[in-house]
Amino acid sequence: MDFSFQEALSKIFHSTGLIAIAPGQGVMIVISLVLVYLAIWKKFEPLLLLPIGFGCLLANLPLSMMANTNEGGLFNFFYFGVRHEILPPLIFLGVGALTDFGPLLANPSTLMLGAAAQIGVYTTLIGAVALGFNLQEAAAIGIIGGADGPTSIFLAAKLAPHLLGPIAVAAYSYMSLVPMIQPPIMRLLTTEKERAVKMEQLKPISPTVKIIFPIASTLVIVLMLPGVAPLMGMFMLGNLFRESGVTARLHETSQTHLINIVTILLALAVGSSMTAETFLTSDTIKIIVLGLLAFCMATAGGVLFGKIMYITSGGKVNPLIGSAGVSAVPMAARVSQKVGQETNKTNFLLMHAMGPNVAGVIGSAVAAGVFLSLFGSGDAGSGHAAVETLKTVTASLGQ
Amino acid sequence: MSLIIESIQVSILAMGVIFLVLGILIGVIRALVHFLPYSAPPAPASRARAPVAPASATGAVPEEDHVAAIHAALAHHLGKVPQDLHIVNITDY
């Protein structure tokens, strides 16, 4: 075999990504670097935006085979965990292990604030439909208003996988912007007198109630909305690890190492879905705008319901805790505390806001469950055994 | 237009389901709290009398932990926020 230095050099040059890079990939590389910048220097949800940004960078480097669609590529395997609803429920296991339901159990009516904040999901659903998305896509976009990253990813992967990248980025970006988005809305919708309300100290809760609650709520929610079983089941199992007191090792693992490992896999898988073909579309811009609408409406819904509770309780409920119903644990609760203290420095709303905050997690998962019950058919739900069973039962009933 | 109307119907239905599910959960929690009320853990068995802390120049001053515990218990008993109370004097009998 003849060896020509010039030919070899040319061959090496043509095998590099430099020659294969497309303009769209160039733009996506810039976007990925912006995400990395926001994560590192602006501290925008760094635990998620950093791996998402870097995953996006790798996926858009030509010939790297790192996009989620590259069969046999590394991120194709990671994406398997998203497509087959493995990773988001595992994140929920860790979140459950980190969650204290005490404030919610002490003041169960705050669950209604978590429900009211879901109004953001549905106004965004209507907005998305008005902008030309179909109902499945609109549902996946609307759930951004639940301010719950894993739930958004879970639902997008099932109902609109082609929109997963922009939905995840919008969800996590706006979650990091909660301290900026919420306060103006909270101040606008409440009076100074309402913001100054001091709430009664929460009652202590029996440890037995804390153990039974995750089991009972799993039974209630999953029996009513079976599609959400992977999320709620893992969430409540994680909490049971915490409250049972007999699984210290599992609790410790769930809330630390497991959630960290799964976060890396999930974020990289999401980043790898952000290719030029799927991300550089007008839909992405619409999703970013709708995501902001979702967060604003969710905050407004929570605060307005908080005002209703303020009136019905005879002024005992501070409406500011309603904004925490958007989920985004615990940042939204901290915002309630901060805005409350602006009016009255001796006011401590944090623990009171943790009730609706946790209720928001349950509320957004329930909202996702409702969407799955309504739209989880065809390809979107084909990976779910329960949906397949439901289809069989429905078909047999129809015969 | 029909899709928008459909989305509004979906929204109303879904919000109804969410309020229903969470309403049921509220009922479950109330039932649990009613039938399994909180009872304070039994006080630890009395130990041998601890050595008395040296009194300050102004007399016997209780330790900060004791004051904090009394503060919290009193606030809970009176149904007030701890910040509303300010203990100025504790008399030792």
Side-chain angles (χ1 to χ4, degrees):
Chain A
M1 183 184 163
D2 293 331
F3 178 79
S4 159
F5 182 79
Q6 204 172 355
E7 261 183 44
L9 197 65
S10 167
K11 207 171 176 179
I12 288 173
F13 181 69
H14 282 90
S15 70
T16 64
L18 293 169
I19 206 83
I21 194 161
Q25 289 171 315
V27 175
M28 287 309 297
I29 289 170
V30 172
I31 290 173
S32 69
L33 294 176
V34 169
L35 291 178
V36 170
Y37 167 79
L38 291 175
I40 297 175
W41 283 280
K42 295 291 176 185
K43 307 277 188 294
F44 280 15
E45 290 282 339
L47 295 178
L48 289 148
L49 280 191
L50 182 58
I52 286 177
F54 206 82
C56 173
L57 174 70
L58 287 172
N60 286 285
L61 290 173
L63 311 179
S64 67
M65 293 290 287
M66 296 293 261
N68 67 328
T69 48
N70 291 134
E71 292 287 335
L74 178 66
F75 289 169
N76 182 247
F77 292 107
F78 289 5
Y79 194 76
F80 185 90
V82 175
R83 194 167 52 232
H84 295 275
E85 59 189 60
I86 298 167
L87 300 178
L90 285 175
I91 293 273
F92 257 56
L93 181 76
V95 174
L98 285 163
T99 301
D100 177 13
F101 281 126
L104 175 70
L105 296 170
N107 191 2
S109 56
T110 55
L111 261 170
M112 285 297 156
L113 294 169
Q118 305 311 314
I119 194 82
V121 172
Y122 297 101
T123 46
T124 309
L125 169 90
I126 297 165
V129 168
L131 287 178
F133 291 99
N134 65 37
L135 275 172
Q136 287 195 327
E137 291 169 337
I141 295 166
I143 206 73
I144 295 173
D148 199 316
T151 308
S152 301
I153 292 168
F154 179 80
L155 199 67
K158 288 172 89 69
L159 298 185
H162 55 290
L163 299 178
L164 177 66
I167 287 173
V169 168
Y172 284 118
S173 302
Y174 289 130
M175 274 165 65
S176 67
L177 292 174
V178 156
M180 280 183 254
I181 295 170
Q182 287 196 320
I185 300 168
M186 294 160 76
R187 290 188 204 107
L188 184 73
L189 296 177
T190 53
T191 62
E192 196 166 330
K193 186 185 168 198
E194 288 167 345
R195 291 197 293 273
V197 170
K198 280 188 177 183
M199 293 180 68
E200 283 176 18
Q201 198 172 355
L202 294 169
K203 292 173 291 184
I205 293 294
S206 153
T208 316
V209 172
K210 287 188 172 184
I211 293 171
I212 296 174
F213 175 70
I215 301 168
S217 53
T218 303
L219 286 170
V220 170
I221 296 170
V222 176
L223 280 174
M224 292 193 75
L225 301 161
V228 82
L231 282 185
M232 283 318 294
M234 290 297 104
F235 183 56
M236 294 303 173
L237 176 64
N239 191 255
L240 198 55
F241 285 160
R242 173 195 174 95
E243 300 297 347
S244 66
V246 293
T247 51
R249 279 164 48 197
L250 301 184
H251 172 220
E252 176 65 19
T253 301
S254 305
Q255 68 170 355
T256 53
H257 310 305
L258 180 70
I259 197 170
N260 291 340
I261 291 167
V262 177
T263 298
I264 294 170
L265 298 178
L266 181 69
L268 285 172
V270 169
S272 73
S273 73
M274 292 168 60
T275 54
E277 304 85 67
T278 59
F279 201 85
L280 295 180
T281 64
S282 60
D283 284 352
T284 300
I285 296 166
K286 290 178 192 171
I287 290 168
I288 300 290
V289 174
L290 287 166
L292 182 61
L293 171 75
F295 268 68
C296 293
M297 292 305 294
T299 304
V303 174
L304 290 174
F305 202 87
K307 281 171 80 86
I308 294 171
M309 288 179 73
Y310 168 80
I311 295 164
T312 55
S313 67
K316 287 182 182 169
V317 173
N318 189 319
L320 291 178
I321 66 166
S323 65
V326 302
S327 192
V329 182
M331 205 184 293
R334 284 199 205 121
V335 172
S336 300
Q337 158 80 9
K338 186 171 166 281
V339 177
Q341 281 201 328
E342 283 173 8
T343 310
N344 183 347
K345 285 200 187 312
T346 62
N347 206 355
F348 291 92
L349 292 174
L350 186 64
M351 287 315 288
H352 299 285
M354 282 309 291
N357 211 190
V358 175
V361 178
I362 298 174
S364 55
V366 171
V370 176
F371 281 145
L372 286 175
S373 299
L374 292 170
F375 309 125
S377 58
D379 292 337
S382 60
H384 198 313
V387 174
E388 291 302 305
T389 314
L390 197 63
K391 279 182 200 162
T392 315
V393 172
T394 314
S396 62
L397 284 172
Q399 282 169 1
Chain B
M1 190 63 192
S2 66
L3 206 58
I4 293 179
I5 293 167
E6 214 173 303
S7 67
I8 293 169
Q9 289 171 336
V10 164
S11 301
I12 294 167
L13 176 72
M15 280 303 283
V17 173
I18 291 173
F19 273 100
L20 174 69
V21 172
L22 297 188
I24 292 171
L25 273 186
I26 290 175
V28 169
I29 294 170
R30 287 198 198 286
L32 285 173
V33 172
H34 178 76
F35 290 110
L36 297 163
Y38 175 79
S39 55
S46 59
R47 288 174 295 176
R49 192 181 174 88
V52 178
S56 72
T58 55
V61 178
E63 291 174 40
E64 281 183 3
D65 290 354
H66 292 171
V67 175
I70 293 165
H71 199 147
L74 200 60
H76 183 68
H77 178 69
L78 296 172
K80 290 187 175 179
V81 184
Q83 295 79 24
D84 289 346
L85 296 175
H86 183 56
I87 295 173
V88 291
N89 184 26
I90 296 173
T91 308
D92 194 3
Y93 290 101

